[in-house]
Amino acid sequence: MFPVKVGAFMAAIALIPSVFADDIPKPPQALAFHSSDWPDFDTHARRWSSYSAPKFTGVFKPKTEDELSQGIAYLAKTKQRFLATKAGGHGNSPTLGTTYDEVVQVNMENFRHVVFGKEDNEVTVTVGGGARMQDVIPRLHAEGREMTVGSFPCVGTHGVLLGGGMGRLMGKHGLMIDSLLRIKVALWNGTIVEASETSHPDLFWGMRGAGHNFGVVIESTFKTYPDEGGMHYNADMVFTDSSIDAVLETTKSIIEAGLHPSVFFILGYLFNATTMKPVLFINIVSAHDIAAGKAVSARFASSESITRTHFNETLLTFAELGSGAAVPEVCTNSLSQDLYTASSPTIFSVESMKVVYQSYSSFIASYPTANRSILLFEAASPHKIASIPHESTAYPHRGKMITNAIIQVTWDDPSLNEVADAWGRETRNLLAKPENSGYERLYAYINYANRDEPLQALFGYEEWRWERLSRLKREYDPEGYFDGYHGIPRGLEGWYTEAEAGGREEGVGRGPKTTPHEEL
């Protein structure tokens, strides 16, 4: 059951004190296990967010699939919890800290390959489990190809993928999971399986939207698309505070009328460290359709009610678009980061977004060390995503979430932990109210979620989804090694308990789970 090779064993490495017990086998000598006194330990343990972060006791850094399989089997056999990470180290659900006082890091940095191929006249790309967007995007551009990818280069490719995979090109190409052809996964006991429409199709269904719950991704293969000349229209705009009513009303009108599939729209609340004031910001990207992008930008030209203080139009390549240059501080490591999210079938009410802007300004004024905090309202055409059958993947929100709010609270003073988390939660709760969001209940994208949302908000409100996900959980993770990242109950009764608990905190509350966890 556990494919650990017979042979010499390490005699000196200690990951968790119990490893020294006489009745527990030690890992094979060839495996790359490192204890906390390893000179590179701190570099490997460092994460994007230090808030409620896991506490690593050791690092396992395999070089091959076979070594990964053996190491995971060893960890499972000796009942040591592990967290697969370090593609980008961006998984920051606060349950990480409450789950992992002691955990072995399975470090996937040696799996950063990006290999192109051809299948049935389709150009494909196979991406290693440790690859970041900065590994993938330039290679796609060099090959004259594109696909939906995450917006920032430092983020792990599979961290984006497993929750569905939103990105600037989703109006055109759908979610990342909609381009996925197959995925190779190491299960909790070290067994390696490849999931696709024809091999382990049930696991393939679950990996596309709930993949954090089932295994460690070794690699995945995607179909790609021609880049159609490679240029993307990009416009950045900044407005005065007095323009907020007209800017929000214009945004509401544009999104309710329906965005062109090529257009990705971001309204942002940022902070200008030079002027020490909040900034009302808009970014518009249009893939290969300059006219569609310009048509949106023109709606925000200065007028009697709008004063646009900055306007910059550029044409960017696919690689430049994914460079993260627009908000470079997003990739800064080791700050405290806390995310909350809410969604709308069109756009949040203008009044609630005005209240949030004032609240943001007051919060930063009261707590200046939190001035890296940002709010983004992202919107794209839903039609491509909705064209994929609703039941075909575990991702449950097709066609539902037109606008997503990303509330990213950032600070560097540990004394602000409680107040920063409370402000993010209160902001989410305000936006999520039915009169503000347009939804009677919360719909949340799992990659942006915190720890207090009911599982139904992340995985869907249909009972058939609960049954199917729980059945998969029992089959592929019976021991609960991958429960921590919004863990799926192994029985249907767990979903009903969750639904009952969801009445707390204005219908979005639930407590953290204290079970093993996995992320990429």
Side-chain angles (χ1 to χ4, degrees), residues 10-54:
M10 297 182 72
I13 294 297
L15 297 179
I16 295 178
S18 63
V19 170
F20 285 112
D22 292 338
D23 59 342
I24 297 178
K26 293 178 174 59
Q29 188 174 17
L31 299 186
F33 280 88
H34 304 278
S35 63
S36 58
D37 60 2
W38 181 36
D40 290 336
F41 179 82
D42 289 343
T43 299
H44 286 73
R46 187 180 303 124
R47 298 181 57 77
W48 177 64
S49 175
S50 60
Y51 174 63
S52 193

Side-chain angles (χ1 to χ4, degrees), residues 322-335:
S323 69
V327 192
E329 292 183 357
V330 169
C331 288
T332 302
N333 280 325
S334 300
L335 295 170

Side-chain angles (χ1 to χ4, degrees), residues 100-119:
Y100 284 145
D101 284 332
E102 291 187 339
V103 61
V104 177
Q105 180 190 98
V106 178
N107 187 295
M108 297 296 289
E109 285 187 337
N110 287 322
F111 294 79
R112 293 178 71 170
H113 53 277
V114 179
V115 180
F116 286 85
K118 205 161 191 178
E119 300 177 21

Side-chain angles (χ1 to χ4, degrees), residues 33-329:
F33 280 88
H34 304 278
S35 63
S36 58
D37 60 2
W38 181 36
D40 290 336
F41 179 82
D42 289 343
T43 299
H44 286 73
R46 187 180 303 124
R47 298 181 57 77
W48 177 64
S49 175
S50 60
Y51 174 63
S52 193
K55 296 176 179 63
F56 295 116
T57 57
V59 173
F60 169 46
K61 192 174 180 180
K63 297 182 178 65
T64 65
E65 288 183 22
D66 185 54
E67 192 173 5
L68 174 66
S69 172
Q70 294 175 51
I72 289 178
Y74 164 77
L75 291 169
K77 190 171 185 178
T78 54
K79 301 188 184 304
Q80 298 183 55
R81 295 184 296 177
F82 58 89
L83 172 65
T85 185
K86 283 311 287 182
H90 280 76
N92 76 314
S93 171
T95 53
L96 280 167
T98 57
T99 298
Y100 284 145
D101 284 332
E102 291 187 339
V103 61
V104 177
Q105 180 190 98
V106 178
N107 187 295
M108 297 296 289
E109 285 187 337
N110 287 322
F111 294 79
R112 293 178 71 170
H113 53 277
V114 179
V115 180
F116 286 85
K118 205 161 191 178
E119 300 177 21
D120 299 326
N121 296 319
E122 295 270 7
V123 177
T124 65
V125 62
T126 297
V127 180
R132 306 177 190 183
M133 288 299 173
Q134 67 195 36
D135 301 316
V136 177
I137 294 173
R139 291 291 311 280
L140 283 166
H141 177 62
E143 296 287 332
R145 310 298 293 182
E146 67 183 25
M147 55 185 263
T148 301
V149 293
S151 298
F152 296 103
C154 50
V155 175
T157 303
H158 292 94
V160 178
L161 171 75
L162 293 180
M166 290 185 176
R168 288 192 178 100
L169 296 182
M170 64 186 178
K172 191 175 180 68
H173 301 308
L175 301 168
M176 280 188 73
I177 59 172
D178 299 333
S179 296
L180 186 66
L181 297 174
R182 57 183 175 274
I183 188 165
K184 189 182 291 186
V185 182
L187 303 180
W188 69 277
N189 60 0
T191 301
I192 293 177
V193 300
E194 185 170 273
S196 68
E197 294 287 4
T198 57
S199 174
H200 299 281
D202 53 346
L203 178 61
F204 191 55
W205 180 88
M207 293 298 294
R208 291 175 293 168
H212 316 82
N213 269 268
F214 301 115
V216 178
V217 176
I218 297 171
E219 67 179 22
S220 56
T221 299
F222 303 87
K223 61 182 177 182
T224 65
Y225 308 89
D227 72 357
E228 301 179 27
M231 303 309 292
H232 300 249
Y233 171 84
N234 182 83
D236 296 316
M237 295 174 275
V238 176
F239 306 89
T240 61
D241 285 357
S242 62
S243 304
I244 190 167
D245 286 275
V247 167
L248 292 176
E249 289 289 355
T250 302
T251 298
K252 182 174 184 289
S253 173
I254 290 169
I255 293 175
E256 287 184 345
L259 290 168
H260 189 280
S262 67
V263 173
F264 190 71
F265 184 100
I266 298 177
L267 171 69
Y269 299 166
L270 314 178
F271 184 81
N272 187 321
T274 302
T275 63
M276 300 298 291
K277 292 180 59 179
V279 173
L280 184 62
F281 169 82
I282 284 178
N283 171 247
I284 296 163
V285 173
S286 182
H288 320 306
D289 194 326
I290 297 173
K294 281 182 171 289
V296 178
S297 298
R299 298 284 298 276
F300 296 95
S302 292
S303 63
E304 289 184 3
S305 55
I306 293 178
T307 301
R308 190 165 63 184
T309 61
H310 172 78
F311 178 51
N312 183 44
E313 290 179 299
T314 54
L315 292 179
L316 301 177
T317 67
F318 181 65
E320 291 170 328
L321 188 65
S323 69
V327 192
E329 292 183 357

